[in-house]
Amino acid sequence: QVVTADVVTQEDKPVDREKKCPLLLRVFLSLTGRHNNCNDYSRNDCPPNELQVYTWTDATLKEITGLVKEVNPESRRKGTFFDFALVYPDPRTPAYRMRDIGSTCSGSKGPDDAKTLAEARFQIGDYLDIAIQTPNDRMGDRMGDR
Amino acid sequence: AAPETESPAKLLDDLFKKTSATPSIYWLPLTEEQVVVRDSARAE
Amino acid sequence: PKRAVRKPSPTPKPTRIHVGRLTRNVTKDHVMEIFSVYGTVRNVEMPFDRIHPHLSRGFAYVEFDKPEDADKAIKYMDGGQVDGQEVSATPVLVPKPRQFAGPPPQRRPPPQ
């Protein structure tokens, strides 16, 4: 897909990854198919299964999916579903909040694949919570939903 | 572009400074050249 | 070459700098480590967010032993990058010592 020149803004320009210092993205994998609870993110506590990713704001959901698959072999199976949410501190209360930003599927193309962290309104310091559903998980769960 | 044979982590450590304090974060001071550019921009 | 604009240099020269635009990932230990590269750091103050006390408010004060080291830190880190974000580093100017005898400001409560 071609993006026309007059639509490309400064933010849309690809980051020079050799000059721009990478940011730390703390990723928390939930292998149950559901996101971790917001309560699991508080003060100094965080959920288990943390993956520390060094990346840039133009990283896409597909790119991040690829990094997860590198460390989590089970998720390489075709049909594995990755659900992405940002976790950030609530400005007014001590709680943390969660906001869905998109999803990807191993072995398939999808509309969110090219979505970048910047497009998802990511701020450095936000956590990324990824709920991973393997095809086996989905067989029982999703069938019941539909 | 850097050679593909180098692993990404090794390449990052070559390009940027990394803290020992955990979780490690990367940082990068200005070069002498960039200091000059910054200061001349401010002098205008 | 003579510069058109010269920064005012108060006496004593500042040893304390303000570092701004720090991300939520940056801790006091990170600040201490990064700025120790420029000289002996006497103290790092990092005010916390009152709603999220484990998070900073995005800035820190770094006090060096020597003003030259504070200058060096500003030179290289004002506009430098930390954790993927451009940061600021500026001197914290201390007020000049009072040169006349007068009553001290009433900001502090009297000793009990």
Side-chain angles (χ1 to χ4, degrees):
Chain A
Q1 209 168 12
V2 179
V3 179
T4 56
D6 50 13
V7 177
V8 175
T9 65
Q10 186 67 40
E11 279 184 18
D12 291 337
K13 283 184 178 181
V15 169
D16 184 341
R17 295 185 174 194
E18 292 191 1
K19 291 185 179 173
K20 183 77 172 153
C21 184
L23 60 97
L24 166 64
L25 173 62
R26 297 179 65 183
V27 179
F28 296 90
L29 305 179
S30 171
L31 309 178
T32 65
R34 294 174 181 275
H35 283 291
N36 291 297
N37 200 302
C38 278
N39 295 333
D40 297 336
Y41 295 96
S42 60
R43 271 198 67 92
N44 294 311
D45 291 335
C46 283
N49 299 314
E50 178 176 355
L51 183 58
Q52 288 171 5
V53 172
Y54 296 97
T55 184
W56 292 262
T57 52
D58 67 345
T60 63
L61 298 195
K62 198 68 181 177
E63 187 183 343
I64 296 168
T65 303
L67 296 175
V68 172
K69 285 154 78 173
E70 275 182 41
V71 299
N72 188 263
E74 276 189 13
S75 64
R76 296 172 193 165
R77 293 178 54 190
K78 288 192 173 175
T80 300
F81 195 76
F82 301 79
D83 201 22
F84 291 75
L86 292 179
V87 182
Y88 54 96
D90 184 72
R92 293 184 185 163
T93 74
Y96 271 77
R97 303 185 67 174
M98 191 176 278
R99 174 166 61 85
D100 286 320
I101 58 171
S103 57
T104 63
C105 187
S106 183
S108 303
K109 291 185 178 181
D112 296 333
D113 287 356
K115 189 174 190 179
T116 66
L117 291 176
E119 287 165 5
R121 319 296 261 164
F122 167 80
Q123 293 194 327
I124 305 175
D126 290 349
Y127 305 139
L128 184 59
D129 191 295
I130 306 179
I132 301 176
Q133 269 190 328
T134 60
N136 289 342
D137 296 335
R138 294 175 64 194
M139 280 288 281
D141 210 359
R142 295 268 167 166
M143 289 287 280
D145 285 350
R146 293 171 188 174
Chain B
E4 284 292 334
T5 50
E6 290 235 49
S7 71
K10 178 70 168 62
L11 188 58
L12 290 184
D13 292 356
D14 290 339
L15 291 171
F16 308 102
K17 294 177 186 296
K18 183 179 179 181
T19 65
S20 302
T22 55
S24 295
I25 56 173
Y26 286 95
W27 60 285
L28 191 65
L30 299 185
T31 62
E32 293 289 345
E33 212 171 84
Q34 289 170 323
V35 168
V36 169
V37 168
R38 178 199 63 192
D39 288 347
S40 64
R42 286 177 183 174
E44 287 176 11
Chain C
K2 193 179 179 182
R3 291 174 66 177
V5 178
R6 224 181 110 76
K7 282 186 177 180
S9 192
T11 308
K13 297 191 79 174
T15 55
R16 204 156 172 258
I17 69 171
H18 173 283
V19 183
R21 289 185 47 77
L22 298 171
T23 75
R24 261 180 264 134
N25 288 326
V26 178
T27 66
K28 195 171 177 175
D29 287 349
H30 290 138
V31 174
M32 173 63 88
E33 184 182 337
I34 291 169
F35 284 88
S36 291
V37 162
Y38 300 104
T40 304
V41 171
R42 204 182 274 184
N43 186 34
V44 173
E45 280 178 59
M46 209 168 181
F48 55 79
D49 185 330
R50 272 159 73 222
I51 296 172
H52 297 270
H54 59 298
L55 298 176
S56 82
R57 285 158 62 191
F59 61 91
Y61 295 101
V62 182
E63 186 176 2
F64 288 90
D65 254 356
K66 300 176 180 176
E68 309 87 77
D69 294 339
D71 284 345
K72 200 165 40 170
I74 290 167
K75 178 184 175 181
Y76 292 111
M77 288 306 289
D78 187 35
Q81 302 175 65
V82 178
D83 190 34
Q85 188 157 283
E86 192 179 310
V87 300
S88 65
T90 53
V92 176
L93 300 177
V94 292
K96 288 183 178 180
R98 281 180 296 113
Q99 299 178 356
F100 53 90
Q106 294 295 308
R107 280 184 294 174
R108 288 176 183 173
Q112 298 294 314

